[in-house]
Amino acid sequence: MTELAQAVIAVAKEDRQGTELVMREPLTALHLAQGHHVSRWSRTPSAKNGLWAFLLRMQTKWPHQKVFPDGETFSDVAHSHQGEPAPELGYAHLMGGVGISLLLEDRWDADRLTLVQEQLVDDADTGTEITEVELRHMASRKHAEAHRPWIRECAEAARRGDLSAVRTGAELWERREGLFPHLRFLPAVEAQVRGLKQIWVQPVCKRLAEMERAIVVWDAGTRPDGPQWGSHVTPEHEGRKQEFCVFVDLDGQPQYFDTHLRFTPGAGRLHFRFVAATGLAHIAHIGHKLG
């Protein structure tokens, strides 16, 4: 417990403004093992030398749902580690954080863990998408040290206002004009972006940034059909195009927005059309697969 406390504090000292200790229950209710309440550790010399008080000041959020985005439950995704359910570690992954564990077994002596993620998707053929994801993890000071460069990079990105520091759809929407000057969004997209699940914010940021870069370097003379997009872009087949892909564009005229790219996890879709005359991409939909 002393090792874990010192690891958590090491992280906080690198990113003091942004670090929170989030648990399933209050720290004061924690049992380290059967018959060993955390109060036993809190009376040890190391704990009484400031560790316990520091942890109590850090832990302002419990249960985990307190830090989820508004309206988000993550009820459509589950995680396991070595065959056992690991919801807390899964939440850490989904929120872009670090998972912490007491070093009671050898498997927790690692600065990264591989989790199996099961995600419900809007796909009649599969219904569930199973992938492996990597989680930053720590149970000791040496693990915290391994993450020090990443923590510093994230803290600095937040200070600079980099795209990598965007964590909510609302923040992405408010910054869209400065970040993506060659992209235009239909009115309905505002609610879609503001309501993005936390797990989709950075994947959508990445796709929009790829589109912006593709337009910036586009040469109409060599590629008259449009930019070379940064990810796999496909059109809808004719039946779905007619049924789902007609939107009223910014000039008030109905247009096909059947060109789309994908983002994960799940069946995320971004539908757009490129207007060569203006060198702008108009975006009509960001969210689940249409229909």
Side-chain angles (χ1 to χ4, degrees):
M1 183 63 196
T2 298
E3 273 292 317
L4 181 61
Q6 290 174 334
V8 170
I9 290 171
V11 172
K13 288 181 176 179
E14 288 294 333
D15 184 25
R16 188 177 298 274
Q17 297 301 316
T19 302
E20 290 182 313
L21 181 59
V22 185
M23 299 175 64
R24 176 170 41 182
E25 56 191 13
L27 184 63
T28 52
L30 182 65
H31 283 79
L32 309 183
Q34 185 174 358
H36 289 266
H37 187 267
V38 71
S39 60
R40 295 184 62 175
W41 172 79
S42 70
R43 294 192 292 269
T44 63
S46 58
K48 292 168 71 174
N49 194 29
L51 292 182
W52 178 240
F54 196 104
L55 290 182
L56 288 175
R57 287 196 301 272
M58 279 188 62
Q59 200 211 357
T60 58
K61 300 290 177 64
W62 74 84
H64 304 93
Q65 288 78 0
K66 291 288 186 180
V67 300
F68 291 172
D70 289 343
E72 181 60 83
T73 64
F74 294 123
S75 59
D76 59 344
V77 61
H79 295 84
S80 60
H81 177 64
Q82 295 187 2
E84 297 181 14
E88 289 79 14
L89 297 178
Y91 296 148
H93 165 70
L94 293 170
M95 297 297 293
V98 178
I100 62 172
S101 305
L102 282 169
L103 190 51
L104 302 178
E105 301 177 28
D106 289 343
R107 61 173 168 163
W108 306 127
D109 190 9
D111 58 34
R112 282 173 173 76
L113 298 178
T114 299
L115 308 180
V116 174
Q117 175 175 284
E118 297 185 56
Q119 172 89 30
L120 296 178
V121 296
D122 296 333
D123 189 332
D125 295 331
T126 61
T128 303
E129 180 179 76
I130 301 177
T131 56
E132 288 189 347
V133 297
E134 186 178 77
L135 169 69
R136 292 181 177 86
H137 174 265
M138 64 184 190
S140 67
R141 284 170 290 182
K142 69 177 182 180
H143 301 151
E145 185 63 31
H147 300 309
R148 189 182 299 275
W150 170 74
I151 297 165
R152 287 177 173 172
E153 179 182 336
C154 290
E156 182 59 31
R159 284 190 287 270
R160 293 193 307 263
D162 287 1
L163 184 61
S164 61
V166 174
R167 287 290 176 265
T168 68
E171 182 183 358
L172 175 58
W173 181 257
E174 295 298 334
R175 297 181 56 191
R176 71 193 184 285
E177 293 181 357
L179 293 169
F180 316 115
H182 292 86
L183 307 183
R184 298 292 184 268
F185 301 84
L186 271 59
V189 178
E190 177 177 358
Q192 295 174 341
V193 173
R194 289 186 180 276
L196 279 176
K197 294 182 177 183
Q198 175 81 23
I199 198 172
W200 271 356
V201 172
Q202 276 299 310
V204 169
C205 285
K206 180 180 178 181
R207 289 291 179 256
L208 295 176
E210 289 171 348
M211 292 179 70
E212 176 67 25
R213 286 195 298 269
I215 295 173
V216 168
V217 302
W218 173 57
D219 183 346
T222 58
R223 291 189 60 89
D225 56 335
Q228 184 173 359
W229 306 108
S231 62
H232 185 54
V233 173
T234 56
E236 288 282 9
H237 61 71
E238 194 62 29
R240 285 183 54 81
K241 174 180 175 178
Q242 297 287 342
E243 185 174 2
F244 299 116
C245 300
V246 178
F247 294 84
V248 177
D249 207 346
L250 297 173
D251 60 2
Q253 299 299 312
Q255 300 284 354
Y256 286 115
F257 285 78
D258 59 308
T259 303
H260 67 276
L261 48 81
R262 305 181 182 204
F263 53 90
T264 58
R269 299 289 191 273
L270 189 155
H271 282 255
F272 70 98
R273 62 185 291 261
F274 181 66
V275 184
T278 61
L280 301 173
H282 294 193
I283 297 171
H285 173 82
I286 299 177
H288 289 285
K289 181 178 178 180
L290 289 172

